[in-house]
Amino acid sequence: MINSSSPQSSVTGSEDEAVEVIVRAGPGGAVAVAGIATAIVIGLWFAFYLLVFLPRSAG
């Protein structure tokens, strides 16, 4: 281990092409997760407004 040579980067053309395909696909999953999280937050806000705020202000 002490005298071993440093590992050489063995990136081939096929690996570069695979990375390009992945990058071209875009951040679809991240956008979906962000959209779902936003929908949950808005839904919770409406639930709070309708179930807590409106009944307290009506009486």
Side-chain angles (χ1 to χ4, degrees):
M1 280 294 196
I2 294 174
N3 294 330
S4 63
S5 62
S6 62
Q8 296 295 325
S9 172
S10 61
V11 177
T12 62
S14 63
E15 290 178 6
D16 287 338
E17 292 171 8
V19 170
E20 288 296 323
V21 168
I22 292 169
V23 170
R24 244 179 290 152
V31 172
V33 169
I36 291 170
T38 303
I40 289 171
V41 169
I42 292 172
L44 288 172
W45 186 87
F46 275 114
F48 176 80
Y49 181 75
L50 294 173
L51 299 174
V52 175
F53 184 71
L54 282 181
R56 288 182 61 145
S57 65

